[in-house]
Amino acid sequence: MTNPTEHALPANSMVESHEGDFGCTVMDLRKLMELRSTDAINQINVHYGSVMNLCSRLKTNPVEGLSGNPADLEKRKHVFGQNLIPPKKAKTFLELVWEALQDVTLIILEIAAIISLVLSFYRPPGEENEQCGLPVSSPEDEGEAEAGWIEGAAILFSVIIVVLVTAFNDWSKEKQFRGLQNRIEKEQKFSVIRNGHIIQLPVAEIVVGDIAQIKYGDLLPADGILIQGNDLKIDESSLTGESDHVKKSLERDPMLLSGTHVMEGSGRMVVTAVGVNSQTGIIFTLLGASEGEEEEKKKKAKTQDGVALEIQPLNSQEGIDSEEKEKKVTKLPKKEKSVLQGKLTRLAVQIGKAGLIMSAITVLILILYFVIDNFVIHRRPWLPECTPIYIQYFVKFFIIGITVLVVAVPEGLPLAVTISLAYSVKKMMKDNNLVRHLDACETMGNATAICSDKTGTLTMNRMTVVQAYIGDTHYHQLPDPDVLAPKVLDLIVNSISINSAYTSKILPPEKEGGLPRQVGNKTECALLGLVADLKQDYHAVRSEVPEEKLYKVYTFNSVRKSMSTVIEKPGGGFRMYSKGASEIILRKCNRILDKKGEAVPFKNKDRDEMVRTVIEPMACEGLRTICIAYRDFSDVEPPWDNEAEILTELTCIAVVGIEDPVRPEVPDAIAKCKRAGITVRMVTGDNINTARAIATKCGIVTPGDDFLCLEGKEFNRLIRNEKGEVEQEKLDKIWPKLRVLARSSPTDKHTLVKGIIDSTVGEQRQVVAVTGDGTNDGPALKKADVGFAMGIAGTDVAKEASDIILTDDNFTSIVKAVMWGRNVYDSISKFLQFQLTVNVVAVIVAFTGACITQDSPLKAVQMLWVNLIMDTFASLALATEPPTESLLKRRPYGRNKPLISRTMMKNILGHAVYQLTVIFLLVFAGEKLFDIDSGRKAPLHSPPSQHYTIIFNTFVLMQLFNEINSRKIHGERNVFAGIFRNLIFCSVVLGTFISQIIIVEFGGKPFSCTKLTLSQWFWCLFIGIGELLWGQVISTIPTQSLKFLKEAGHGTTKEEITKDAEGLDEIDHAEMELRRGQILWFRGLNRIQTQIDVINTFQTGASFKGVLKRQSMGQHLDVKHVPSSSYVTVAPVKSSPSTSVAAAVSSPTLGNQGGQSVP
């Protein structure tokens, strides 16, 4: 499932002779894995005796795992297959060439060129020339007539060049995406026990017989059978469509399937089927049999993450509805939520239509002029022998018309978008952003809100216990072990060591003098660190009570907010250790240990006292408070499944305060976000006081702001009606001021994100980015415009639902993503400004030239060259401009801002005026100015003239200098700023200039060029440089004074979307954005199509059910709410920072003291 280069053996090619080495064959195991629950248990017992016997048949040790001997691993791969599903073959270069040839305009050009070629070889008898109304050719023209084929050949040659360039671009993009995909896959690792050690192994290296450690948040990479499990619940909806979580246990249902998600608990499994033999692999093989479009997408989705991904989208929570949804789904267009692509498609359609009309009019006028001139004015008869000559003229007119069309259609647009995005994605990797969906990169530039987690994103996720409340004493520094009663110390050490995931551990530092490394859950690591600080050893406790001896485990989840482990006591009876959020555990305690270690009653008033004197002060310093407690049970087994009864009457051992320092670079990054017009909101599961203290340290809330800090419970009370449904109007009153949402459940996060996206309060629709690391963040990450998953702390499920993975889990990387996103948008705008100037000028010149002189001043081949340099190379040059900090000094463009602003329109029209003036001056007065022969009204096969060569040369040089002007689109004066930072730009401009010299001096007949003198070259160059000076003149004119300028390239308005959306069950504006411009006929979309296909290679979960079901997941999580919240105003306090934090915390009033209300 990783490298596309490796190939898995198909199931049937397993070599017979090896089967004897293991106690079962591939097919036995495949059949076994198709069974469920009791059938599977019976089959195991009948055939193998037990799961342990199956392990011995597979020659593996359930505790130690495989030995890791390379020969043994090879043999296993040979017999049972490798853990990868061979990806779809990449398109070959020739296939891409064939695709590029499918282009409508190119096909028309090819046909015209071929007709022109054929006719040029047809020599009619010379005598009739006079009667056909053509000037009699002189002997030296004979050679020229012989060379008549050159123009047709040159057009064909140019078409080939354009096709090859297109194909090469597509090929290199595909290669880049494959590389990116491989990188994502290589990062996909899984915990496997080999030789008694837990190691992180790339998913493709897992073999049958491996013992895998599974835990909350994992995406299972292979099929297996449970050996040992604690409170394990699996979401099998990706394979079965059933949304309920399935409980797994040795007694009831030990079968674990690849591509399913672990939603709760932990355990170990023996791997029984990998790659194409796993349940997901079998489905992919079936899909592979029907080579349909859908299968391609699924397979691409598959190879995406190096894990057998699900067949249905991540959150198919309603298995029942899926059939009806499936029917509706087929009508939906391809989901495309990129704002930019929506605007570009519309713009390209408009330009294409204009071009088509212009070219049709051109052809019509040329033909009418020719017919009227010959047959009406000169009254010539139509002679049969003249027909080929007339046809040759018509073909020439047709070619001119097509040329106008070719120049009018900006095929460079999709290319520029793709180059810009691909370039950004590559560079973003260096900034720790691993982009999984291309359009996320550009959407990020429009982001107006970021909902961020606290732990690990804003803070360092390096937790340490800094305060503790043990035996009636609040220790502000950690106490010496001697101070504590031995009984209490013993309880603390046992409770922490046993009641935490055994995968959480503290390892010695990598470098001398460094901090110890924390592996696993960071909160648990902080508690294990406390054990070490108390000079105790948690390893000793764990080896005394290994994982197999744990009687029952209630693992942590977002609803419980606590974790408990039950062990059997040596003398009989049970003891349960619990830990969790202090206010939750304390509510379940009725006793507490005193100084001597005796349990004394703990009443409600004692609890309130403790919250006031211990927990709130800790929280106000930004500490996370965790309570540790225990309970003893008698010999009689209590009803373990009745959690409410079990988790009561606890005895509190201690409350600890864990510090997670704010990352030093975060306050600065948040200040940048505020400057850039992006609101940062913190959504955390922590206590409200802790959250508020951290938010103040980060600068999310500042003194004097009128903002809200709410707890999940209060938030729900304010936004829901009596029936418990979320009301958008209520939510709209809250979210604009909300900055901190504490004690929130994943459902709250999803509700908030959905509410902000669906809100119609502002004039712009909000574009929301969300960060998440947990399994339950999946719905919010999917719903957001851009979902960021944590690369280090994130679970597989979160990464699967995300658009961008932050490889360093750092908030500053999100700010970098914003900068790159805005840069993509600006790059496209720069290219557009340049491209449209060329188009406007070339079309007008070809059109008027054809109408007045019956011949376009710019020949077809010249137009194609202009088109090539202006489209392909300029898109390369302008789309690779590196971003600058100044991008973060303006507000987001928003979804409705037109691509072409009025400033850009001013630049386009301004430069077009200059270029048209120059060209028409040269066309109609050039021969007088340069004292050369006129090239106007030349006969059919006449040689190229200096006159028209100068026009062509000047035109290209003006474009070249205008390319430098186009580097700035906001009216800046210095167009050279930072030009040397972009080597591609410099080399493109230089390369184009050199090619132009070669074409003019040595291009000859094919390019309709002839050699120019040095003084003529200097004049051309001088006129070109005039572009730069003219650019300064244009930027002096204030845009405001030009009221008549219109913007172009708007986003779609809401009314239009709503009209389109009738008949769909749910309107998501982002999805509807593109419905309309999609029925395209010309090149632009053709190319966008190929590009999107390539992009799809690593766009997973793009099946439509995901679109429809994205929003439903939230309703299926049951939530418990937590108390008290406060509306807060931070009062501006003129004092030290510490008191202002205190003031922020203590003032419970709502209002605005000196600060403006934040929109």
Side-chain angles (χ1 to χ4, degrees):
M1 253 167 288
T2 54
N3 278 335
T5 50
E6 300 170 23
H7 287 286
L9 290 160
N12 50 9
S13 71
M14 301 310 165
V15 184
E16 300 295 329
S17 62
H18 281 283
E19 290 177 352
D21 299 355
F22 297 101
C24 43
T25 64
V26 177
M27 292 320 285
D28 293 344
L29 292 173
R30 261 177 81 154
K31 288 204 179 81
L32 176 62
M33 291 318 295
E34 280 163 13
L35 301 172
R36 299 282 175 274
S37 55
T38 44
D39 301 345
I41 293 170
N42 295 339
Q43 177 81 356
I44 292 170
N45 292 340
V46 171
H47 270 79
Y48 304 101
S50 71
V51 179
M52 295 306 154
N53 286 0
L54 177 61
C55 290
S56 55
R57 283 209 194 179
L58 288 172
K59 301 187 178 168
T60 181
N61 180 328
V63 181
E64 298 277 312
L66 295 176
S67 63
N69 167 10
D72 175 47
L73 297 179
E74 270 313 306
K75 188 169 166 190
R76 285 174 193 275
K77 282 184 185 170
H78 192 68
V79 178
F80 297 111
Q82 282 180 299
N83 196 20
L84 57 89
I85 292 173
K88 194 169 180 303
K89 283 216 312 286
K91 282 187 179 154
T92 60
F93 187 69
L94 286 175
E95 285 176 302
L96 291 168
V97 167
W98 178 244
E99 273 182 15
L101 274 170
Q102 307 303 306
D103 195 316
V104 183
T105 36
L106 284 184
I107 291 172
I108 297 173
L109 262 182
E110 287 155 25
I111 294 169
I114 291 167
I115 295 174
S116 165
L117 258 180
V118 172
L119 289 172
S120 67
F121 289 118
Y122 175 78
R123 279 277 151 273
E127 306 84 66
E128 268 98 4
N129 268 1
E130 200 102 11
Q131 298 159 0
C132 297
L134 302 171
V136 181
S137 48
S138 56
E140 63 265 25
D141 283 351
E142 285 303 310
E144 294 298 341
E146 293 300 318
W149 60 273
I150 292 180
E151 183 166 18
I155 292 178
L156 280 182
F157 182 69
S158 310
V159 167
I160 291 167
I161 296 281
V162 171
V163 166
L164 288 178
V165 168
T166 312
F168 178 75
N169 276 315
D170 288 347
W171 177 78
S172 58
K173 278 200 308 272
E174 180 128 7
K175 198 162 138 259
Q176 267 183 353
F177 293 140
R178 294 244 166 203
L180 179 66
Q181 182 185 314
N182 287 348
R183 169 163 171 182
I184 291 177
E185 285 161 4
K186 285 198 185 84
E187 291 195 348
Q188 190 76 36
K189 291 196 163 73
F190 207 80
S191 303
V192 173
I193 302 173
R194 290 235 174 127
N195 224 354
H197 299 293
I198 298 179
I199 56 168
Q200 291 290 317
L201 202 63
V203 165
E205 297 297 313
I206 292 176
V207 293
V208 170
D210 259 325
I211 305 295
Q213 281 270 23
I214 55 176
K215 62 181 189 309
Y216 157 83
D218 283 344
L219 186 70
L220 298 183
D223 292 355
I225 298 175
L226 192 65
I227 305 176
Q228 177 263 324
N230 307 319
D231 194 24
L232 199 60
K233 286 188 187 158
I234 307 274
D235 172 9
E236 291 189 349
S237 60
S238 56
L239 285 177
T240 62
E242 293 300 322
S243 56
D244 296 337
H245 297 170
V246 186
K247 277 192 175 170
K248 296 284 177 183
S249 62
L250 291 165
E251 304 76 47
R252 291 225 303 268
D253 182 1
M255 313 307 274
L256 301 169
L257 306 174
S258 57
T260 58
H261 294 123
V262 183
M263 299 311 275
E264 271 183 42
S266 60
R268 288 206 315 274
M269 72 171 187
V270 56
V271 175
T272 53
V274 294
V276 285
N277 297 309
S278 67
Q279 290 303 297
T280 309
I282 291 168
I283 294 174
F284 276 116
T285 326
L286 292 176
L287 285 175
S290 59
E291 281 288 348
E293 270 300 285
E294 264 317 293
E295 157 268 342
E296 270 183 50
K297 282 182 195 138
K298 295 261 175 67
K299 244 191 193 170
K300 286 174 179 174
K302 155 69 215 58
T303 51
Q304 160 62 40
D305 236 13
V307 183
L309 305 181
E310 54 276 274
I311 309 303
Q312 275 183 301
L314 186 68
N315 48 345
S316 36
Q317 286 289 332
E318 324 110 307
I320 321 94
D321 310 352
S322 62
E323 271 67 50
E324 300 105 79
K325 287 268 170 85
E326 194 80 297
K327 289 168 201 151
K328 289 176 189 165
V329 147
T330 46
K331 296 176 204 147
L332 259 177
K334 170 123 127 265
K335 172 181 163 287
E336 199 158 2
K337 73 176 173 188
S338 161
V339 187
L340 186 61
Q341 244 153 15
K343 292 179 182 176
L344 279 178
T345 310
R346 292 167 68 86
L347 191 67
V349 175
Q350 289 161 354
I351 296 173
K353 281 180 187 162
L356 190 67
I357 293 165
M358 289 292 274
S359 63
I361 295 174
T362 312
V363 176
L364 218 67
I365 290 178
L366 286 171
I367 291 176
L368 281 174
Y369 188 97
F370 178 80
V371 170
I372 291 169
D373 185 55
N374 268 312
F375 303 125
V376 179
I377 300 174
H378 293 111
R379 305 234 164 114
R380 290 199 179 94
W382 180 298
L383 301 172
E385 55 270 34
C386 293
T387 307
I389 295 175
Y390 294 148
I391 289 179
Q392 232 169 330
Y393 264 106
F394 289 150
V395 169
K396 180 183 164 187
F397 298 152
F398 188 59
I399 288 178
I400 292 172
I402 294 294
T403 313
V404 173
L405 181 64
V406 169
V407 178
V409 174
E411 327 85 308
L413 264 186
L415 188 66
V417 178
T418 318
I419 290 177
S420 183
L421 287 172
Y423 168 79
S424 302
V425 166
K426 217 168 167 182
K427 293 286 188 202
M428 280 169 81
M429 279 197 186
K430 295 197 177 86
D431 285 340
N432 304 308
N433 283 295
L434 183 61
V435 181
R436 294 181 65 230
H437 298 157
L438 261 196
D439 56 5
C441 158
E442 165 261 316
T443 311
M444 204 48 219
N446 283 317
T448 54
I450 299 174
C451 294
S452 172
D453 277 354
K454 174 177 80 66
T455 310
T457 316
L458 300 171
T459 59
M460 286 164 81
N461 204 10
R462 164 119 212 141
M463 311 254 187
T464 39
V465 175
V466 289
Q467 296 187 20
Y469 179 85
I470 307 170
D472 295 344
T473 322
H474 185 171
Y475 297 96
H476 286 275
Q477 263 86 37
L478 289 186
D480 271 332
D482 329 334
V483 181
L484 307 174
K487 184 181 168 191
V488 177
L489 186 61
D490 195 42
L491 272 169
I492 290 175
V493 173
N494 277 327
S495 174
I496 290 172
S497 309
I498 294 169
N499 186 30
S500 55
Y502 279 31
T503 46
S504 299
K505 42 187 181 287
I506 291 186
L507 302 178
E510 281 171 345
K511 298 194 195 80
E512 280 294 310
L515 292 165
R517 279 183 298 152
Q518 299 185 337
V519 178
N521 182 304
K522 298 293 192 261
T523 310
E524 293 184 341
C525 289
L527 294 168
L528 293 172
L530 170 67
V531 173
D533 291 340
L534 294 171
K535 318 247 186 319
Q536 305 294 314
D537 180 17
Y538 70 89
H539 289 292
V541 181
R542 282 185 177 179
S543 50
E544 211 174 290
V545 187
E547 221 169 339
E548 293 76 57
K549 282 198 184 167
L550 303 180
Y551 192 78
K552 176 138 184 75
V553 180
Y554 299 94
T555 48
F556 180 89
N557 67 26
S558 57
V559 178
R560 271 190 203 124
K561 290 207 188 306
S562 67
M563 171 179 178
S564 310
T565 305
V566 183
I567 55 169
E568 290 187 79
K569 289 201 289 194
F574 303 94
R575 169 167 288 177
M576 177 177 75
Y577 292 115
S578 292
K579 68 166 189 285
S582 51
E583 60 261 55
I584 289 172
I585 296 284
L586 282 178
R587 231 179 286 137
K588 295 175 177 169
C589 291
N590 63 356
R591 303 217 283 299
I592 189 165
L593 297 182
D594 65 5
K595 274 201 174 65
K596 302 190 191 93
E598 302 300 324
V600 295
F602 183 64
K603 298 192 176 61
N604 279 358
K605 67 173 199 311
D606 302 330
R607 188 174 72 232
D608 298 343
E609 176 69 16
M610 187 163 165
V611 167
R612 207 181 75 249
T613 57
V614 178
I615 291 170
E616 281 189 359
M618 280 188 187
C620 293
E621 289 176 41
L623 304 186
R624 167 185 282 190
T625 55
I626 299 283
C627 177
I628 306 165
Y630 77 102
R631 178 183 178 184
D632 285 333
F633 296 95
S634 61
D635 294 349
V636 185
E637 268 207 48
W640 295 119
D641 286 343
N642 185 350
E643 261 182 73
E645 205 174 298
I646 300 288
L647 268 185
T648 49
E649 300 181 15
L650 305 180
T651 305
C652 171
I653 308 171
V655 173
V656 295
I658 297 177
E659 180 182 48
D660 184 8
V662 171
R663 288 178 182 263
E665 63 276 25
V666 162
D668 185 41
I670 286 179
K672 275 185 191 162
C673 282
K674 284 187 171 173
R675 262 209 310 282
I678 302 168
T679 310
V680 182
R681 293 179 176 84
M682 181 205 284
V683 183
T684 172
D686 251 343
N687 170 314
I688 187 146
N689 295 329
T690 313
R692 195 183 302 125
I694 299 279
T696 314
K697 283 182 191 166
C698 293
I700 291 177
V701 300
T702 45
D705 279 357
D706 172 18
F707 63 84
L708 298 179
C709 289
L710 293 178
E711 274 195 350
K713 194 175 178 185
E714 180 72 1
F715 173 69
N716 277 294
R717 193 180 63 71
L718 292 168
I719 63 166
R720 292 179 189 272
N721 58 20
E722 299 75 57
K723 292 182 193 156
E725 294 157 348
V726 178
E727 284 195 5
Q728 188 67 43
E729 289 141 50
K730 291 187 171 183
L731 191 56
D732 286 345
K733 289 184 188 136
I734 298 221
W735 72 257
K737 288 187 180 179
L738 185 68
R739 291 293 176 274
V740 176
L741 185 58
R743 280 277 175 255
S744 68
S745 70
T747 322
D748 297 339
K749 193 175 193 172
H750 180 259
T751 308
L752 178 66
V753 172
K754 183 177 184 308
I756 297 179
I757 289 178
D758 294 348
S759 172
T760 49
V761 176
E763 61 272 23
Q764 296 276 354
R765 150 155 137 55
Q766 296 278 315
V767 177
V768 184
V770 170
T771 69
D773 52 8
T775 303
N776 348 48
D777 291 331
L781 288 169
K782 268 259 191 272
K783 177 65 199 164
D785 293 290
V786 183
F788 286 91
M790 301 298 145
I792 304 164
T795 59
D796 296 343
V797 181
K799 289 178 186 169
E800 183 52 22
S802 68
D803 301 300
I804 298 179
I805 296 173
L806 294 180
T807 49
D808 63 346
D809 288 15
N810 193 337
F811 188 81
T812 45
S813 305
I814 300 177
V815 181
K816 297 240 179 72
V818 172
M819 205 155 86
W820 276 107
R822 293 186 172 191
N823 190 53
V824 168
Y825 207 93
D826 278 11
S827 299
I828 304 304
S829 294
K830 288 171 191 173
F831 174 70
L832 261 177
Q833 176 175 311
F834 172 71
Q835 166 89 52
L836 292 179
T837 313
V838 181
N839 286 9
V840 168
V841 175
V843 169
I844 294 177
V845 166
F847 177 68
T848 47
C851 297
I852 299 169
T853 66
Q854 282 73 65
D855 189 7
S856 168
L858 297 172
K859 303 290 178 285
V861 180
Q862 295 175 349
M863 287 280 208
L864 283 170
W865 161 240
V866 167
N867 215 28
L868 190 75
I869 60 166
M870 299 314 151
D871 274 4
T872 309
F873 298 136
S875 62
L876 193 66
L878 291 167
T880 51
E881 288 274 313
T884 56
E885 284 283 330
S886 62
L887 288 167
L888 292 174
K889 293 199 173 108
R890 58 170 175 75
R891 303 188 73 71
Y893 281 145
R895 298 186 84 87
N896 311 341
K897 170 155 191 323
L899 270 175
I900 302 169
S901 63
R902 285 176 58 188
T903 311
M904 286 166 63
M905 208 47 134
K906 176 183 78 176
N907 292 343
I908 292 171
L909 296 177
H911 287 293
V913 166
Y914 174 81
Q915 294 183 13
L916 286 170
T917 312
V918 168
I919 286 177
F920 283 136
L921 192 69
L922 289 176
V923 169
F924 297 111
E927 71 273 24
K928 298 191 187 72
L929 295 173
F930 286 102
D931 193 22
I932 46 179
D933 294 336
S934 167
R936 289 194 303 281
K937 302 212 176 182
L940 194 61
H941 293 302
S942 56
S945 63
Q946 271 194 333
H947 182 190
Y948 272 27
T949 306
I950 290 175
I951 295 172
F952 167 57
N953 198 20
T954 310
F955 180 68
V956 172
L957 290 178
M958 286 195 295
Q959 303 319 328
L960 211 53
F961 286 102
N962 194 28
E963 200 169 327
I964 299 174
N965 276 330
S966 297
R967 292 185 65 245
K968 301 288 176 230
I969 50 172
H970 298 302
E972 299 92 329
R973 279 194 174 282
N974 183 1
V975 289
F976 291 100
I979 194 166
F980 296 115
R981 278 175 54 216
N982 188 356
L983 288 174
I984 300 180
F985 186 87
C986 300
S987 44
V988 164
V989 171
L990 215 69
T992 312
F993 186 56
I994 292 164
S995 314
Q996 181 61 19
I997 295 175
I998 294 168
I999 284 174
V1000 169
E1001 292 301 308
F1002 309 103
K1005 183 80 198 258
F1007 277 96
S1008 313
C1009 286
T1010 181
K1011 290 187 167 64
L1012 296 181
T1013 64
L1014 198 60
S1015 71
Q1016 287 167 344
W1017 263 105
F1018 275 123
W1019 273 107
C1020 293
L1021 205 59
F1022 171 71
I1023 295 169
I1025 293 171
E1027 266 289 342
L1028 292 174
L1029 305 173
W1030 182 248
Q1032 296 301 313
V1033 175
I1034 293 176
S1035 55
T1036 315
I1037 305 166
T1039 314
Q1040 285 75 27
S1041 60
L1042 305 171
K1043 288 277 184 283
F1044 59 88
L1045 286 181
K1046 290 271 185 293
E1047 300 158 322
H1050 288 267
T1052 321
T1053 60
K1054 285 192 176 148
E1055 292 70 56
E1056 291 172 317
I1057 294 175
T1058 320
K1059 281 210 296 282
D1060 278 346
E1062 283 162 15
L1064 292 177
D1065 2 355
E1066 169 187 298
I1067 299 170
D1068 184 322
H1069 286 310
E1071 254 111 74
M1072 300 299 315
E1073 200 97 36
L1074 245 204
R1075 299 261 331 255
R1076 307 167 66 263
Q1078 269 185 341
I1079 313 103
L1080 283 194
W1081 47 275
F1082 71 95
R1083 167 164 229 169
L1085 197 68
N1086 208 340
R1087 282 219 195 145
I1088 291 186
Q1089 237 34 67
T1090 29
Q1091 272 136 28
I1092 289 172
D1093 279 350
V1094 179
I1095 292 164
N1096 270 345
T1097 314
F1098 79 116
Q1099 225 170 12
T1100 62
S1103 85
F1104 307 121
K1105 273 175 284 180
V1107 181
L1108 288 168
K1109 292 185 181 172
R1110 270 160 62 191
Q1111 301 178 351
S1112 56
M1113 192 162 177
Q1115 283 100 54
H1116 293 276
L1117 299 164
D1118 54 332
V1119 191
K1120 287 186 184 167
H1121 297 305
V1122 221
S1124 106
S1125 84
S1126 49
Y1127 281 86
V1128 186
T1129 302
V1130 174
V1133 180
K1134 292 192 175 73
S1135 63
S1136 70
S1138 59
T1139 51
S1140 75
V1141 175
V1145 169
S1146 60
S1147 85
T1149 55
L1150 168 62
N1152 182 356
Q1153 305 176 356
Q1156 296 304 303
S1157 166
V1158 184

